Amino acid sequence: MTDQTTIIPFSTSQHSKAQVANIFFERPEFEAILNIYGKMVASGHWKDYAISGSKDEAVFAVFQKASERPIYRITKTPSLRHKQGAYAIIGSQGQILKRGQELRQVLKHFDKKLIKLVQ
């Protein structure tokens, strides 16, 4: 039997400093998005969604069909919070439909799609 007293650490302090935390939606933000998502699914406008987080932004993508590109992307970009607003709704062609400082105000963009004329 050999002497195995050498300890090899799995992570070094250099690697932990280089790692940047990914940005995601916080719980109240995610609840507000899922609230709108549920209403839009119930009305038949949306069918599927995807979520991603990176070091720059968090994205909630909405699809009419799972095999297509997203019709809307709800993004959170904290680096823009003091400039144009951290939250944005981006259309399927990349156009910015609404941008703002507060997520609930930005999500009001979808309210007009939920209004139906009842006779």
Side-chain angles (χ1 to χ4, degrees), residues 90-102:
I90 302 172
S92 62
Q93 302 298 319
Q95 69 276 29
I96 297 174
L97 303 175
K98 189 151 184 168
R99 183 180 293 267
Q101 300 288 344
E102 294 183 23

Side-chain angles (χ1 to χ4, degrees), residues 7 9 12 14 33 35 41 55 74 82 86 92 101 110 112:
I7 298 173
T12 62
Q14 294 173 351
I33 292 171
N35 186 20
V41 167
K55 64 179 182 140
I74 301 166
H82 295 301
S92 62
Q101 300 288 344
F110 298 115
K112 62 186 172 199

Side-chain angles (χ1 to χ4, degrees), residues 10-107:
F10 286 112
S11 64
T12 62
S13 62
Q14 294 173 351
H15 292 294
S16 63
K17 290 179 184 175
Q19 292 177 349
V20 178
N22 286 344
I23 296 169
F24 290 103
F25 293 103
E26 295 176 9
R27 186 177 185 103
E29 298 166 337
F30 195 59
E31 287 175 352
I33 292 171
L34 286 179
N35 186 20
I36 291 292
Y37 176 77
K39 291 176 183 177
M40 296 300 276
V41 167
S43 67
H45 289 92
W46 296 350
K47 303 285 186 224
D48 200 6
Y49 72 92
I51 303 171
S52 69
S54 69
K55 64 179 182 140
D56 298 322
E57 70 178 0
V59 178
F60 185 93
V62 177
F63 300 86
Q64 279 184 332
K65 297 179 183 173
S67 62
E68 296 178 352
R69 71 175 127 174
I71 54 172
Y72 296 107
R73 287 180 294 141
I74 301 166
T75 64
K76 174 185 177 182
T77 312
S79 62
L80 297 176
R81 73 180 170 268
H82 295 301
K83 297 176 185 173
Q84 303 165 344
Y87 304 101
I89 297 175
I90 302 172
S92 62
Q93 302 298 319
Q95 69 276 29
I96 297 174
L97 303 175
K98 189 151 184 168
R99 183 180 293 267
Q101 300 288 344
E102 294 183 23
L103 180 62
R104 294 199 187 273
Q105 290 294 338
V106 172
L107 292 176

Side-chain angles (χ1 to χ4, degrees), residues 1-8:
M1 184 166 223
T2 62
D3 184 19
Q4 297 180 350
T5 58
T6 305
I7 298 173
I8 301 172

